[in-house]
Amino acid sequence: MSDIISLYMTCANREEAHSIAHTLVAEKLVACATLLDGATSLYYWRGELQQEKEVVVWAKTTREKEEKAIARATELHSYDTPCIL
């Protein structure tokens, strides 16, 4: 089963996370997605330390669909530089 992979991303809020996850599942780019509320992210942005509440999306897909899923999630995402791993 080495063809199956996980994608991890953070979103600004539950609505955005749900919208992106719904689109990826509906377009069959991922098999399923789990939304995890309550994350707190710490990071530097433009030279300043930031702390934000975020929602984590954990999605399962295949290596074959990985690039298309990441590209589509990036297209739908509100962040300038989304974290999609």
Side-chain angles (χ1 to χ4, degrees):
M1 287 216 168
S2 61
D3 189 44
I4 297 171
I5 63 164
S6 294
L7 295 179
Y8 164 92
M9 79 182 85
T10 55
C11 295
N13 54 55
R14 185 161 183 81
E15 293 77 26
E16 178 177 54
H18 184 271
S19 177
I20 293 171
H22 183 273
T23 300
L24 294 177
V25 172
E27 293 179 3
K28 298 184 179 176
L29 295 172
V30 302
C32 61
T34 303
L35 281 57
L36 304 168
D37 291 303
T40 300
S41 294
L42 300 164
Y43 57 94
Y44 272 97
W45 183 250
R46 298 187 175 155
E48 293 187 30
L49 181 60
Q50 307 291 320
Q51 179 174 323
E52 300 289 338
K53 294 290 183 195
E54 292 186 301
V55 177
V56 174
V57 177
W58 178 33
K60 289 64 112 190
T61 191
T62 62
R63 290 210 182 276
E64 179 182 322
K65 295 181 181 181
E66 175 184 14
E67 286 184 32
K68 287 183 182 178
I70 291 172
R72 186 68 167 124
T74 300
E75 181 180 293
L76 297 168
H77 212 288
S78 66
Y79 293 173
D80 291 338
T81 308
C83 171
I84 305 171
L85 308 171

